[in-house]
Amino acid sequence: REEGRMVTTGSLDAFVSVLAGMGDFVHLAAEPYGASIATNQDFADQCTSAVEANVFARDLCAYLSNFWGSVFIDKYLFGGPFPKPDLCFQIHLCDTHAKWFQMVSEYYGIPMFSMEMPVGPRGYREELKLQFLVDQVYEAIAWLEKVTGKKFNDERFIQSIKNETDSMSLWAEICTLNKAVPAPLDQKSMFSFYIIALLMRHEKQAVDFYKMLRDETKERIRLGVAALATERCRLIDDSPPPWYFLNLYRYFEKFGAVSVGSIYSFGLMGAWEDQDDGSMGPMKRIDDLGIKLKNRDQAVRFLSNWHLRRTPYFLSLFVPEDKNKQLMRMVKEWKADGVLFHLNRGCEGASLGQMENRLALMKAGIPVLTYEGNMGDKREFDPAQVLDRVDSFMESLGLNKLEN
């Protein structure tokens, strides 16, 4: 703000390219911030205590609870007081989003705009969904001009759309490269990589980063460089992890097992579409499609259609049968030997239908491990019990710990 930049907050899926049309800004993406707090459980304890002291339920979204708590105690995880935003700009995908930022808006007395993502089964009323989203983008532009007193810049908007969609397509391409055996990347590392698309996908720096990462990943495949040198078991996992216990992935490595990805890390900011051979792969980028966005109308429609088409992860929040199909495709294409389900009490959306998913996978003969926890609240997590379950699961796959 001292540099003249607008400070906004909202969900990570907010249409940041629209914000970019208003000039320089910094968007505090709420879910990544909540996850960051979860890695520091002393700070997280202060946040959850403040939320529960304000008579909010303990079983709220863990990210929401951490974020609200940081606001209530007026402390920022990375130092100093909580950075008061100029406005809330977000998109409503899961149950908590609208109320999450309604509270922030009322607490600080700042304006809020909330878009509604029209989700649902594919192939159902697609043109109506698209028009619904297009209309909201125009409303958002008019609202931003009104509350900021600035004029919307179409040229900057169009360039940000190109950066945003390129970043998301490149991330999906990188995830696709992890089909290689041995896997060049592991899930724990991918959590560090996908965050760039969450926070700054509209910036050219993000595109440059993902091009570099893609090329390096291809080089690792060419040279046979593995994320885990002792790879002998490949796993797919589900739902955000317990961020305070990422050593769980290191424990799997003791058995020669590596997680090669998840619906969560692949789909949260990856843009996917079926390829000509029927496999999962990245959506074509603007340059690949030969499209040149010349005006606001074209740009708004392209951006809206892109986000409607690239949402396999969010469909899984509503339709367990769709998630069954996604998981089975991932197991086959990424050559996984089993699937891990974090029964995550901190995210009702990600955990919706998990037991139905488990039954469907087991019926298909795919080994499944479930463990209970919470992505942001260590009170819901028993490390000893979880590691015992891992030992049993690995034994069922015929794997013992490797010697150090």
Side-chain angles (χ1 to χ4, degrees):
R1 191 163 22 238
E2 292 171 355
E3 299 170 354
R5 305 173 74 184
M6 181 170 61
V7 179
T8 67
T9 191
S11 63
L12 58 87
D13 277 287
F15 279 27
V16 289
S17 292
V18 177
L19 288 173
M22 302 308 303
D24 286 338
F25 73 100
V26 175
H27 186 68
L28 178 57
E31 297 91 341
Y33 181 59
S36 297
I37 291 174
T39 66
N40 184 328
Q41 278 297 296
D42 288 339
F43 193 89
D45 288 344
Q46 296 178 49
C47 293
T48 53
S49 295
V51 169
E52 290 167 20
N54 277 277
V55 202
F56 289 104
R58 174 173 168 173
D59 61 353
L60 291 172
C61 164
Y63 292 161
L64 175 151
S65 183
N66 284 346
F67 188 98
W68 279 5
S70 183
V71 169
F72 291 155
I73 64 177
D74 195 26
K75 291 182 180 179
Y76 189 49
L77 175 64
F78 306 108
F82 188 90
K84 177 185 175 182
D86 297 311
L87 58 87
C88 298
F89 188 81
Q90 58 100 26
I91 194 160
H92 187 189
L93 268 162
C94 81
D95 295 347
T96 63
H97 279 148
K99 289 299 179 182
W100 184 334
F101 298 101
Q102 179 184 342
M103 194 290 296
V104 176
S105 171
E106 293 174 352
Y107 188 86
Y108 284 119
I110 58 175
M112 178 188 83
F113 191 90
S114 178
M115 296 173 60
E116 177 83 16
M117 175 63 79
V119 295
R122 290 185 184 278
Y124 179 70
R125 306 177 80 179
E126 294 299 329
E127 190 57 37
L128 285 175
K129 291 179 188 175
L130 177 57
Q131 191 59 50
F132 179 64
L133 196 51
V134 166
D135 291 344
Q136 289 183 88
V137 174
Y138 279 113
E139 290 177 18
I141 292 172
W143 180 85
L144 283 166
E145 287 186 325
K146 180 179 178 181
V147 300
T148 64
K150 298 180 180 179
K151 185 173 177 57
F152 191 80
N153 185 310
D154 289 324
E155 183 178 348
R156 187 182 176 110
F157 176 48
I158 289 171
Q159 183 57 54
S160 295
I161 290 174
K162 187 177 187 308
N163 292 339
E164 178 176 4
T165 54
D166 280 1
S167 295
M168 295 164 67
S169 179
L170 284 164
W171 175 241
E173 182 181 353
I174 292 162
C175 295
T176 303
L177 293 174
N178 227 33
K179 294 179 182 180
V181 180
L185 303 171
D186 66 326
Q187 176 76 296
K188 192 171 184 293
S189 298
M190 295 173 86
F191 286 143
S192 297
F193 296 140
Y194 85 139
I195 197 67
I196 301 298
L198 298 180
L199 300 179
M200 51 186 295
R201 58 190 176 275
H202 60 292
E203 297 185 28
K204 185 177 182 297
Q205 285 177 289
V207 179
D208 293 342
F209 172 82
Y210 282 124
K211 286 180 178 178
M212 181 174 63
L213 177 60
R214 177 198 58 192
D215 294 344
E216 182 175 332
T217 304
K218 286 182 176 179
E219 182 70 0
R220 289 170 71 91
I221 293 172
R222 187 184 72 81
L223 297 174
V225 177
L228 178 63
T230 56
E231 177 186 315
R232 58 176 181 166
C233 176
R234 296 163 65 90
L235 303 169
I236 294 289
D237 67 285
D238 174 65
S239 184
W243 291 108
Y244 45 84
F245 198 73
L246 292 180
N247 280 339
L248 177 64
Y249 294 101
R250 294 290 180 246
Y251 192 76
F252 277 109
E253 291 178 0
K254 295 179 182 292
F255 297 88
V258 59
S259 173
V260 296
S262 68
I263 285 181
Y264 176 71
S265 60
F266 285 7
L268 200 58
M269 270 300 136
W272 297 86
E273 65 184 357
D274 290 345
Q275 306 299 291
D276 292 339
D277 62 1
S279 65
M280 294 175 61
M283 286 174 62
K284 289 183 175 61
R285 294 155 59 190
I286 290 178
D287 290 343
D288 299 329
L289 294 168
I291 293 175
K292 185 170 179 61
L293 302 177
K294 299 178 180 179
N295 54 54
R296 184 183 300 183
D297 290 342
Q298 291 178 349
V300 168
R301 193 166 185 85
F302 179 85
L303 180 67
S304 300
N305 189 48
W306 175 277
H307 279 282
L308 277 178
R309 291 175 55 222
R310 70 98 191 160
T311 54
Y313 172 71
F314 298 108
L315 283 178
S316 72
L317 302 181
F318 301 94
V319 188
E321 293 78 11
D322 187 86
K323 188 175 179 181
N324 292 343
K325 296 175 185 177
Q326 291 182 51
L327 285 168
M328 294 203 192
R329 289 185 70 181
M330 290 177 65
V331 167
K332 179 180 179 181
E333 295 185 28
W334 275 263
K335 307 172 188 68
D337 302 292
V339 177
L340 316 175
F341 281 108
H342 175 203
L343 305 181
N344 180 3
R345 295 193 184 100
C347 182
E348 293 182 359
S351 58
L352 177 70
Q354 282 184 313
M355 300 313 286
E356 287 89 343
N357 303 144
R358 171 181 174 271
L359 290 174
L361 291 171
M362 292 176 66
K363 187 176 181 179
I366 299 169
V368 177
L369 166 65
T370 62
Y371 66 95
E372 297 181 45
N374 185 307
M375 62 192 181
D377 190 341
K378 68 179 181 182
R379 294 175 297 178
E380 306 277 2
F381 189 79
D382 184 338
Q385 182 187 73
V386 171
L387 296 183
D388 282 345
R389 292 182 68 82
V390 172
D391 289 341
S392 299
F393 181 66
M394 290 291 103
E395 184 178 346
S396 73
L397 296 180
L399 298 175
N400 296 316
K401 289 181 182 177
L402 301 170
E403 294 183 4
N404 290 330

